[in-house]
Amino acid sequence: MNNSKALHGCVLLLLWPFQGTTGSMAECQDPGSTHCTISLEKLLDRAIQHAELIYLVSEKSLTLFEEMFIPFQVRIPLTQTGNTCTTSTLSISTSRSEVQENSDKWLLHSILFLIKFWIDPLVKLQTSLDRYDNAPMALINKTKWISDKLMNLAQGVTILIQKMLGEGAVMLEQNNKSLADYPVHFDMLESVLRDYSLLACFKKDTHKMETFLKLLKCRQKGGLGCSLL
């Protein structure tokens, strides 16, 4: 109960994280503008807050999905199949030592790459959940909320790339087959297992985004002992 209240409070607090960077502040409406008057520190703080909340809501969504559709005895085997996530085949390192050695440019573009990768699969997930006979509205609304906030985070990271690197967003090479390319299953069991795997993989990737942003912030503060959380 306390966790639910805390989550609700965080949602209300962070509905506006990028309002200043993409809404009311005209200088930041164009991601390619060099006249964004919000400080780099505040931009990073807002991006981190956004990523943290997306991760928290994705975690809540996964738990809710488990409680509704996944028997307890099969949850552990399914959650141990992390290597089946599509993004695990991409050129984004998960090794702590390798990530810490990579440049700010690599971190920023990796974050943007992951965000763009997940936009279409989340839309597919919403379509799939709409076909469920008993999918709770709380779950459907969470996935729609995540999609909206992911787009906001993409705008914020694009501004960070321009501000920190002096360049526009670069389209990175992407695996030819994304989760969005997978056929839509009309068999209920197949749909449930696929959607569960998608939510589990998305949760892992949102944690990467959050971690990379926190590493960037530590570097900007001149931290010598920045480590991955």
Side-chain angles (χ1 to χ4, degrees):
M1 184 68 178
N2 290 336
N3 287 340
S4 298
K5 289 183 178 179
L7 175 60
H8 180 68
C10 288
V11 170
L12 293 177
L13 178 63
L14 296 175
L15 283 176
W16 53 269
F18 284 107
Q19 183 66 28
T21 61
T22 59
S24 61
M25 188 164 294
E27 293 88 348
C28 294
Q29 286 182 346
D30 178 7
S33 171
T34 59
H35 303 293
C36 182
T37 58
I38 295 180
S39 70
L40 178 58
E41 182 180 2
K42 286 185 178 179
L43 284 172
L44 275 170
D45 284 341
R46 291 181 181 184
I48 290 170
Q49 289 174 340
H50 231 61
E52 286 176 337
L53 188 56
I54 290 172
Y55 174 76
L56 180 60
V57 176
S58 70
E59 187 175 44
K60 295 288 184 182
S61 299
L62 181 61
T63 299
L64 182 57
F65 193 96
E66 286 177 338
E67 292 173 349
M68 289 293 299
F69 305 112
I70 307 296
F72 181 77
Q73 60 270 25
V74 301
R75 290 179 194 174
I76 295 178
L78 286 174
T79 54
Q80 289 177 341
T81 58
N83 57 349
T84 63
C85 294
T86 304
T87 49
S88 66
T89 65
L90 306 178
S91 57
I92 297 179
S93 174
T94 56
S95 164
R96 291 191 176 194
S97 58
E98 289 183 18
V99 169
Q100 288 174 312
E101 291 174 359
N102 282 314
S103 65
D104 291 353
K105 179 176 181 177
W106 183 92
L107 290 171
L108 285 165
H109 283 309
S110 294
I111 295 166
L112 188 59
F113 180 90
L114 288 171
I115 292 171
K116 290 182 175 180
F117 180 90
W118 278 105
I119 289 173
D120 286 342
L122 286 174
V123 173
K124 295 283 188 180
L125 175 62
Q126 292 167 36
T127 301
S128 180
L129 289 175
D130 284 337
R131 294 198 309 270
Y132 285 33
D133 291 332
N134 57 342
M137 284 305 300
L139 179 61
I140 294 173
N141 289 338
K142 279 181 171 62
T143 57
K144 291 178 179 178
W145 184 92
I146 288 172
S147 290
D148 290 341
K149 295 310 167 186
L150 202 62
M151 293 297 293
N152 289 348
L153 184 59
Q155 292 175 330
V157 172
T158 299
I159 293 171
L160 281 171
I161 288 174
Q162 201 288 322
K163 199 170 182 70
M164 292 178 68
L165 307 178
E167 61 182 52
V170 175
M171 293 297 295
L172 301 183
E173 291 185 4
Q174 184 167 327
N175 193 300
N176 290 331
K177 188 173 186 179
S178 75
L179 289 171
D181 298 322
Y182 287 14
V184 176
H185 296 296
F186 291 95
D187 179 87
M188 196 59 183
L189 178 59
E190 290 184 12
S191 293
V192 168
L193 294 177
R194 175 180 176 273
D195 293 344
Y196 180 61
S197 296
L198 188 149
L199 278 169
C201 290
F202 177 70
K203 175 189 166 186
K204 290 181 180 180
D205 281 347
T206 55
H207 185 258
K208 289 180 189 175
M209 299 176 205
E210 177 188 342
T211 301
F212 291 176
L213 284 166
K214 288 181 177 178
L215 180 56
L216 281 167
K217 182 179 178 181
C218 180
R219 288 179 177 179
Q220 288 298 312
K221 287 186 173 182
L224 298 177
C226 298
S227 61
L228 298 181
L229 301 178

